Amino acid sequence: STLPAAALLTLIYQLAHRQGMPPLSGLAFVLVLGLGTAIFPYSTALTNHVPTAALVTAAAALLLTHPQPGRETLVAAGCCATLAATLDNSAAAFTIGLFLYVAARYRQKVAWFIVGGLAPAALALYLNVQISGTLLFPQMAPHAFDYPGSAFADTVAGNQRADNVPLYAFHLFVGDHGVLAFYPILLWYIGALLKTLGDLDATRRWLAWAVAGSIVLYLLYFVLYTNNYGGYAYSPRWLLTPVPVLALFALHPAAGRSSRRLLILAGLAAVSVFNAYQGALNPWQPAWPILRLEYAAPRPPDDLTVLMSGYSNVADLPDDVRKSLGANNVRPRQFDAQYSFVIPAGAGWWFIHETTPVAVELAAPLGMITSGTYTLHADLRPAAQRWLAFFQAEAYQSVELVPRPGQSLTTVALPVAFGEELTFLGYQWQTDEDQGMLLTVWRLERTPAWGDQRTVFVHWLAEDGRILSQNDGLAVLYGSLQAGDLFFQKQTLSRPPEVTPAAWLQLGVYDPTTGVRLSTAGGDDRLLLR
């Protein structure tokens, strides 16, 4: 989305110049728009939101700057507006609004606007048939979301109406997820649009009414027919499309000439840029804006512990279960129950979907069932501590890659810390004719940053040091864990025919983004197991 964002900001800068804004003022305007709205975080990710916003803005700008548009202008505007709707179906609100504007203002020329939209519309319809089997866009075909294991409702776009629509709208605009709370510079843009509704210039006035109507229709859809604020993402990403269109009406040479106005504008811009910067660091990390309105209803305790497998976030839980939590802003620990199980210190809520049945090797010692979708509220730490007593509590270290009889070999008592963040507590190693299975248990010593990743490597070594079989992985979302958490992990390795009783396992931890291994207190970056 970086190129569409750059093209969009270039277009806005050129329009600022045409409106008579001084170069520095125009540059400041564009920087605030680009760095102080959702354009910033979502220009760093592959999404359809920024290209859609750029196309809608281009269509509106063509009509705004041509009071008497020719056929080429109308064809280009129609093409941009229609293409935007094919990229993001909700943008059809703007396609309709701009079409009605052209039909009302230039009735004799409206056919050229339609001609411009024919090519993108025809291509979209063709692709729809190839994808969904109908002329409907895939996200508009409810049957496309009805497949085994689907986490979506079989509705348009897989969305559902919020249980409390007014409260959802409150949080969507000014509350926990509020777009105006994240980017208060939008208040300036909205004020400019409202002022333009009474402009003496007929082109600006009529287009402002068309855009205002489109925005109202656009927002009503998301308020009335969604419930998850755009999913597991930074700020309501769905509400990006209207932002640069609003900014068109704020382009005015006198915008910053008043000291009072300039001070207000600087304050709005500062908060907006700060919030947008936080999102640019990770567009797929939910967060609260630094300034927001709070709903006065009771909130769940801050230490609410939620652990889930088979769900991508709290919003995917069944409505009644999610509602019982009292909030959508809980940060859950996430794991794959087929290969791991996370246990916090104290009681927690586990939500496990049937698509990720708990591995029997993990479920049985903890007294859990192995399949089915269920909810569990319990303190499993005592059961985990009892099970831990049956794990091997000794490992080995050697300067030799594979120590032979008589060579240096040091017995190491577990637990052993890897770096300052993970402690290896014990293991169980079982083999049969086909494979080996290693169960390990770990403790988090400090809470990682959300984006942090770690991988546990297990290598089955031949006597000459060759890796005969290996398993590198971590079946938990490392950045979702908290200090004090335990997690058990199951890793299997195929048993090669070259394995002999003298073969060893080597185990360690590394950062997959850099390849750097974590070291123990003794400076080694691995342990030997048998």
Side-chain angles (χ1 to χ4, degrees), residues 203-216:
T203 298
R204 291 178 60 83
R205 184 176 68 252
W206 282 59
L207 188 60
W209 278 103
V211 168
S214 300
I215 291 176
V216 169

Side-chain angles (χ1 to χ4, degrees), residues 181-411:
F182 275 107
Y183 315 113
I185 193 65
L186 297 184
L187 295 171
W188 187 275
Y189 301 159
I190 292 170
L193 175 67
L194 295 177
K195 186 177 181 180
T196 310
L197 295 178
D199 201 293
L200 296 177
D201 184 307
T203 298
R204 291 178 60 83
R205 184 176 68 252
W206 282 59
L207 188 60
W209 278 103
V211 168
S214 300
I215 291 176
V216 169
L217 181 62
Y218 183 84
L219 296 180
L220 279 176
Y221 167 73
F222 288 108
V223 168
L224 297 177
Y225 296 102
T226 68
N227 69 346
N228 65 1
Y229 306 100
Y232 206 65
Y234 190 84
S235 77
R237 58 188 175 88
W238 288 330
L239 305 189
L240 168 59
T241 299
V243 171
V245 187
L246 281 169
L248 288 179
F249 297 93
L251 290 169
H252 196 282
R257 289 182 183 174
S258 164
S259 298
R260 182 181 176 186
R261 286 185 178 182
L262 186 59
L263 185 61
I264 294 173
L265 186 56
L268 296 176
V271 175
S272 299
V273 170
F274 178 82
N275 278 330
Y277 171 74
Q278 302 299 316
L281 296 176
N282 188 343
W284 308 117
Q285 174 181 341
W288 284 346
I290 57 173
L291 299 175
R292 63 185 182 276
L293 294 180
E294 286 282 3
Y295 180 61
R299 300 186 63 84
D302 292 338
D303 59 352
L304 183 64
T305 302
V306 173
L307 309 98
M308 54 177 50
S309 179
Y311 300 94
S312 61
N313 54 64
V314 171
D316 289 339
L317 294 173
D319 286 345
D320 56 338
V321 175
R322 177 175 49 80
K323 191 173 181 180
S324 69
L325 295 177
N328 286 331
N329 51 23
V330 178
R331 177 180 171 180
R333 280 87 147 167
Q334 295 176 299
F335 63 98
D336 184 348
Q338 298 178 93
Y339 303 102
S340 69
F341 203 86
V342 180
I343 300 177
W349 286 94
W350 280 267
F351 302 104
I352 302 177
H353 195 270
E354 63 184 0
T355 54
T356 59
V358 186
V360 64
E361 297 86 359
L362 304 175
L366 297 174
M368 301 180 61
I369 61 176
T370 59
S371 62
T373 296
Y374 64 95
T375 298
L376 171 68
H377 181 255
D379 183 355
L380 295 180
R381 185 58 70 96
Q385 295 292 356
R386 289 193 295 271
W387 185 23
L388 190 55
F390 294 93
F391 278 64
Q392 293 287 338
E394 289 185 346
Y396 305 92
Q397 291 179 335
S398 175
V399 296
E400 307 293 338
L401 181 59
V402 177
R404 298 177 180 273
Q407 291 183 326
S408 172
L409 185 65
T410 303
T411 301

Side-chain angles (χ1 to χ4, degrees), residues 503-529:
W504 288 86
L505 292 179
Q506 69 172 354
L507 170 144
V509 182
Y510 65 92
D511 182 341
T513 60
T514 63
V516 175
R517 293 186 181 184
L518 276 61
S519 298
T520 65
D524 291 329
D525 58 11
R526 63 158 189 169
L527 291 175
L528 293 171
L529 312 178

